[in-house]
Amino acid sequence: MSKLSIHGLVKTYAGGFQAVRGLDLEVESGEFISLLGSSGCGKTTTLQMVAGFVEPTAGTVRVDGRDLAGVAPEKRDMGVVFQSYALFPHMTVAQNVAFGLQMRKIRRRELDERVAEALSMVRLSGLESRYPSELSGGQRQRVAIARVLAIRPRVLLLDEPMSNLDAKLRGEMHVELRSLQRRLGITTILVTHDQVEAMTMSDRIAVMAKGGIAELGTPQQIYDRPNSEFAFKFLGLTNELSGQVLSVGNGTASVRVGQACLPWKDAGLPVGKDIRFFLRPERIRLCPIEVARCRASVVTRLFLGGVWFYEVESELGSLRMTVLNAGLAQPQEGEVVGITWNDDDLQLAGAEVGHG
Ligand SMILES: Nc1ncnc2c1ncn2[C@@H]1O[C@H](COP(=O)(O)OP(=O)(O)O)[C@@H](O)[C@H]1O
Ligand SMILES: [Mg+2]
């Protein structure tokens, strides 16, 4: 169990391009943190600096207080699994897993024990003498993980290791890898551009943008109550509504949005101010018209299996909404329905989303 501390990490590539701009992150002992962000935001560069493959332009990486500046990758006690994890095709599963241990001059008896243990952790016991070409994609990927676990690293670094697997297998690997990581209590950083992957596996997620951390928190915090508008729009889907403050009084405000007039809890807004709101599609519900916040007519209805997706035209404007497929009859395109949501579901946009 090890704590990883990253302070003021910077990487400037030749030509002056800053891929990572002063990144700070504390990964607690046994914690699983994801670096989530779109392609090119600096995730891999960050991980490579932690692993020791890329030298930082500035900043420090510490494990349990020890500064790793100048320490070679193989001396860092870190296990790294890349997207393009390469197994040795001419070696069996057991030989692949043993490779790193032989490099470390581990005695035969202990080596055999550790290989067996690592393969059992990733549930591949029995496949020791197969070759990589005789394994499925998911099994190969687990060999790559076993190979890293066998060296008993203090820190596990994963760079999109599941992005080559098909969706269903990926989902299974998320659950398996997460439960393995919990059992071993191994401090882990996962790099991914897949929000579902990050949400499923992480204790906390660092949403990255332009070489820095835009938002840091538990999956639920960053999805429901992020501090930044960037994070709110980056994660999931949202409706963005424009409005104007009509009047203020008695501790509430009244806001015009489209053709509708909505009450708003914050009376501190100046009359006439242009404001924007966010409303997540899954927070809008169908309801009887008598108790609806507004009427809406169904423009598009799509069946997505687990949910129905609707585009409706309402007094507020055009809205996207999702409804769980509970096997109930659903309104048709062209039908007029009532829609509603809870007060807290409407969030004021701006720098401080979710706290307005
Ligand atoms: N060796 C390199 N030389 C120059 N630029 C690089 C190098 N490696 C990465 N970059 C640039 O740094 C930025 C961040 O890259 P990377 O860390 O790989 O992003 P991510 O993993 O988030 O997709 C990108 O714009 C990329 O083109
Ligand atoms: Mg990358």
Side-chain angles (χ1 to χ4, degrees), residues 75-320:
K75 299 256 163 66
R76 291 191 173 202
D77 255 343
M78 293 180 179
V80 190
V81 183
F82 298 107
Q83 178 175 356
S84 53
Y85 52 92
L87 302 180
F88 300 110
H90 59 289
M91 289 187 194
T92 63
V93 166
Q95 286 164 345
N96 264 285
V97 175
F99 186 78
L101 299 173
Q102 282 162 343
M103 293 284 99
R104 286 170 173 75
K105 310 244 183 309
I106 306 285
R107 285 176 300 111
R108 184 83 229 168
R109 195 133 150 252
E110 190 186 346
L111 185 140
D112 288 343
E113 275 172 22
R114 287 224 216 162
V115 169
E117 181 192 71
L119 285 174
S120 136
M121 281 178 198
V122 298
R123 305 210 178 102
L124 285 180
S125 304
L127 300 187
E128 288 80 0
S129 46
R130 293 244 188 123
Y131 286 88
S133 61
E134 300 169 323
L135 300 173
S136 71
Q139 287 170 330
R140 277 204 285 269
Q141 206 254 344
R142 281 185 279 163
V143 175
I145 292 168
R147 188 167 61 175
V148 155
L149 292 177
I151 62 170
R152 298 191 181 149
R154 294 213 259 184
V155 174
L156 187 59
L157 304 176
L158 306 167
D159 192 346
E160 316 231 15
M162 283 158 291
S163 55
N164 292 331
L165 304 179
D166 67 62
K168 182 147 195 190
L169 189 54
R170 201 157 63 224
E172 288 165 10
M173 284 302 301
H174 292 162
V175 177
E176 281 195 25
L177 193 52
R178 172 57 163 157
S179 90
L180 177 65
Q181 183 271 341
R182 278 219 175 118
R183 247 186 301 137
L184 300 179
I186 187 168
T187 309
T188 303
I189 302 182
L190 168 75
V191 157
T192 183
H193 67 275
D194 177 341
Q195 349 186 327
V196 175
E197 181 165 295
M199 298 258 180
T200 316
M201 301 180 78
S202 315
D203 293 307
R204 286 188 299 158
I205 296 174
V207 178
M208 283 187 67
K210 294 184 189 146
I213 294 178
E215 189 81 35
L216 178 68
T218 66
Q220 202 178 352
Q221 280 167 353
I222 66 160
Y223 185 87
D224 281 341
R225 300 273 154 195
N227 290 305
S228 66
E229 179 164 342
F230 173 79
F232 200 93
K233 286 165 123 168
F234 181 73
L235 298 160
L237 291 175
T238 191
N239 293 291
E240 192 170 331
L241 306 167
S242 305
Q244 205 178 36
V245 180
L246 283 182
S247 63
V248 177
N250 288 333
T252 62
S254 172
V255 178
R256 170 172 290 290
V257 179
Q259 314 301 313
C261 212
L262 301 176
W264 180 247
K265 58 199 165 192
D266 182 2
L269 296 167
V271 172
K273 184 178 167 62
D274 289 324
I275 55 176
R276 286 171 305 123
F277 292 103
F278 291 137
L279 183 56
R280 297 266 195 209
E282 72 272 18
R283 297 299 178 88
I284 308 176
R285 305 188 300 275
L286 293 169
C287 68
I289 286 174
E290 312 82 76
V291 296
R293 284 184 193 255
C294 69
R295 288 162 172 262
S297 81
V298 176
V299 178
T300 310
R301 183 185 82 167
L302 299 172
F303 180 61
L304 304 182
V307 295
W308 293 89
F309 177 83
Y310 287 99
E311 230 169 54
V312 300
E313 201 51 53
S314 75
E315 293 158 3
L316 305 184
S318 174
L319 294 172
R320 296 178 293 176

Side-chain angles (χ1 to χ4, degrees), residues 13 17 19 38-46 191:
Y13 282 117
F17 175 71
S38 38
S39 177
C41 72
K43 306 179 295 294
T44 293
T45 302
T46 301
V191 157

Side-chain angles (χ1 to χ4, degrees), residues 22-57:
L23 189 138
D24 297 312
L25 183 64
E26 300 277 333
V27 189
E28 299 301 329
S29 186
E31 191 178 27
F32 193 125
I33 283 205
S34 289
L35 304 182
L36 172 67
S38 38
S39 177
C41 72
K43 306 179 295 294
T44 293
T45 302
T46 301
L47 206 74
Q48 298 272 11
M49 287 193 279
V50 173
F53 296 118
V54 167
E55 196 185 333
T57 307

